[in-house]
Amino acid sequence: MIKINEMEIPTLDDLQFSEKKVLVRIDINSPVDPETGKLLDYSRIKAYSSTIKELIEKGNSVVLMSHQGRPGDNDFISLEEHSKLLNKYLGASVEFVDDVIGPYARERISKLKPGEILLLDNVRLISEELIEASPLQHAKSFLVRRLSPLFDGYVNDAFAAAHRSQASLVGFPMILKSSAGRVMEREVLALSKIFNPDDSPKVFVLGGGKVLDSLRIIENLVKRKLADRILTGGLIAELFAVAKGIDLGRDNINILEKKGLLSLIPRARKILLSGGPIEIPVDFRVEKEGKVIEEPSSKVTGAIKDIGLTTMNIYSSFIKEAKVIVMRGPMGIIEDERFREGSKELLNNALESPGYVIIGGGHMISMLGSRDIESTKIHVSTGGGALLLFLAGEKLPALEALNMSRGVGK
Ligand code: 3PG
């Protein structure tokens, strides 16, 4: 049992599933190359081997469920490639089922034999999965009602999606005997350690494209005074720059507008006015007429693609003095080799600094490559948004649902 924030979350040790049919929610949502549609990082896919192997060794059969991207985005793809990679890293056969709740999936699950592993297709093909609602409401969803009668138990190992109150994450624990998986357990135990007030200064390096999530996280960090510095990059940095009154040029503003981000400016301004310890890039690396140049933030004319050299130096000096460094989301468009330097530089500085480094989000993890790092120095989290919301002291709905599930399905 994990005890945290007045919650008691059952683990696999408490439930001892054996010779059962178990539904396992994992999060293998991975960055996708927009050109080829291929996966760019396999770290989440590798992470679940321990939970799956443990269940299989105890004679259970396992059905894996995950999302990938969101409808309308170019990373909203099927899980077929993921199944081949799971196969490879697990060293066991994982059958891909091209269906989620339809007759084919249900028949395949009902015929499952001990030791077999299935991966259902992208759960976000089911539109109700995108609705955020309470566990009790989600217990009545089609997804939960159609699938739960086919299973003896449910394991939630999707720490990376634990901040979403979606049917596959919170609905099943209301019906089935449930527990956290080993990834969820490891994450919660490792991250709980940083709530120690002696571990200051704490520096958060936040970039990437999930601006709404980042803003929510920053609001929490500032409100609870949990961060000594918040170093911004990517679109969230642009949002704060505009909120501060910096003119980033028509083209960059247009991009923010197209992404519907301008409406967030008042929230960003409120954070700045409240004295939040937000650092905004003083210069950017931009692309202009096919050339890569550096421009001060106040005189940007090209398309912003990374932080500039002076910003890298300023940010690095904060990182070198930190006791805890949390990094999520890249500083620039790292898919393009010309705009990886900002993220690479900050990551190298973090790894060389004496501080404890927590890294989350597929893009930043992909930048770690295959380097060998001591596990006492770094925690590579499978989570992005979930990681930061957890560190910002928010309650994660998937953990709350597991807490509520105690006593269900006995
Ligand atoms: C993530 O990558 O943060 C999780 O997989 C959740 O994905 P989402 O932001 O699309 O809900």
Side-chain angles (χ1 to χ4, degrees):
M1 196 76 79
I2 314 169
K3 291 194 176 162
I4 177 165
N5 298 339
E6 292 147 30
M7 290 191 291
E8 291 193 352
I9 296 155
T11 68
L12 286 173
D13 296 327
D14 300 299
L15 295 197
Q16 301 282 354
F17 288 126
S18 132
E19 295 178 22
K20 298 278 189 271
K21 229 177 244 186
V22 186
L23 175 64
V24 183
R25 175 58 158 103
I26 55 178
D27 183 349
I28 46 177
N29 180 30
S30 308
V32 172
D33 184 329
E35 300 292 317
T36 62
K38 294 268 173 220
L39 302 180
L40 289 169
D41 173 61
Y42 307 155
S43 49
R44 283 190 179 170
I45 296 174
K46 290 180 196 164
Y48 295 100
S49 299
S50 52
T51 301
I52 302 169
K53 274 189 189 146
E54 183 175 336
L55 287 167
I56 292 299
E57 275 159 15
K58 289 188 178 146
N60 298 295
S61 51
V62 166
V63 175
L64 303 169
M65 172 179 276
S66 177
H67 71 281
Q68 167 66 56
R70 281 174 182 258
D73 289 347
N74 54 16
D75 61 348
F76 182 59
I77 57 172
S78 115
L79 297 183
E80 193 166 3
E81 191 189 347
H82 304 62
S83 72
K84 293 187 185 129
L85 291 161
L86 275 169
N87 222 306
K88 179 172 154 193
Y89 293 117
L90 200 60
S93 160
V94 177
E95 182 184 323
F96 174 65
V97 174
D98 182 4
D99 189 6
V100 185
I101 58 171
Y104 174 58
R106 299 208 307 275
E107 196 190 327
R108 189 61 196 89
I109 297 167
S110 52
K111 292 197 173 138
L112 206 56
K113 297 199 186 73
E116 281 189 319
I117 309 166
L118 304 183
L119 171 66
L120 300 177
D121 207 349
N122 191 341
V123 66
R124 288 187 179 166
L125 286 163
I126 308 297
S127 56
E128 64 183 354
E129 174 66 4
L130 287 148
I131 299 168
E132 297 264 336
S134 72
L136 291 171
Q137 277 167 300
H138 275 317
K140 296 184 203 135
S141 62
F142 275 97
L143 179 78
V144 175
R145 280 188 294 141
R146 291 243 161 117
L147 293 188
S148 50
L150 306 173
F151 291 98
D152 304 301
Y154 169 83
V155 171
N156 193 342
D157 218 12
F159 173 75
H163 57 317
R164 306 287 180 218
S165 197
Q166 293 167 341
S168 69
L169 294 152
V170 302
F172 291 106
M174 301 301 102
I175 312 283
L176 291 168
K177 196 170 170 183
S178 299
S179 89
R182 295 298 181 203
V183 172
M184 184 77 95
E185 185 182 349
R186 254 196 317 269
E187 294 270 14
V188 172
L189 293 178
L191 299 174
S192 307
K193 289 191 190 131
I194 88 136
F195 287 110
N196 183 353
D198 295 341
D199 285 339
S200 273
K202 289 191 181 83
V203 170
F204 287 73
V205 185
L206 303 182
K210 290 183 176 172
V211 178
L212 192 56
D213 274 353
S214 297
L215 193 65
R216 190 168 136 206
I217 290 152
I218 292 173
E219 282 168 343
N220 274 299
L221 290 173
V222 171
K223 195 168 83 198
R224 300 194 166 100
K225 297 194 179 1
L226 288 170
D228 295 285
R229 286 286 154 182
I230 300 170
L231 315 179
T232 63
L235 285 173
I236 187 78
E238 293 183 42
L239 182 76
F240 274 106
V242 176
K244 203 176 170 187
I246 299 171
D247 180 4
L248 295 180
R250 200 59 249 162
D251 290 350
N252 295 309
I253 302 287
N254 280 348
I255 292 175
L256 292 176
E257 191 170 14
K258 258 199 217 133
K259 292 187 179 281
L261 301 176
L262 292 183
S263 61
L264 301 177
I265 289 173
R267 278 170 70 182
R269 192 168 288 144
K270 201 167 156 198
I271 297 172
L272 293 172
L273 287 172
S274 73
I278 313 291
E279 295 293 327
I280 300 167
V282 295
D283 60 347
F284 288 108
R285 189 158 290 183
V286 306
E287 188 165 18
K288 194 176 178 191
E289 290 150 13
K291 288 203 182 94
V292 177
I293 55 169
E294 303 243 338
E295 294 186 318
S297 314
S298 53
K299 292 190 183 123
V300 171
T301 55
I304 296 174
K305 298 284 174 80
D306 198 0
I307 53 172
L309 218 54
T310 311
T311 306
M312 282 178 220
N313 290 333
I314 297 173
Y315 282 12
S316 297
S317 62
F318 287 121
I319 288 173
K320 282 177 191 155
E321 282 173 15
K323 279 228 181 110
V324 176
I325 304 140
V326 182
M327 309 185 86
R328 187 258 181 148
M331 296 287 102
I333 315 284
I334 58 164
E335 291 83 357
D336 185 333
E337 197 55 48
R338 297 171 302 164
F339 304 111
R340 288 172 77 84
E341 199 182 334
S343 310
K344 208 155 78 186
E345 181 70 13
L346 300 191
L347 183 61
N348 288 342
N349 277 303
L351 294 175
E352 279 160 20
S353 82
Y356 183 64
V357 185
I358 296 174
I359 298 193
H363 285 91
M364 281 315 282
I365 293 172
S366 72
M367 300 219 49
L368 279 172
S370 53
R371 61 179 116 188
D372 223 7
I373 304 150
E374 254 183 79
S375 60
T376 49
K377 156 86 195 147
I378 180 168
H379 173 72
V380 181
S381 174
T382 52
L387 160 75
L388 287 162
L389 287 168
F390 185 81
L391 294 182
E394 270 203 27
K395 289 199 170 147
L396 303 185
L399 292 179
E400 291 191 297
L402 287 174
N403 177 49
M404 283 165 76
S405 79
R406 284 174 298 133
V408 168
K410 279 200 171 153

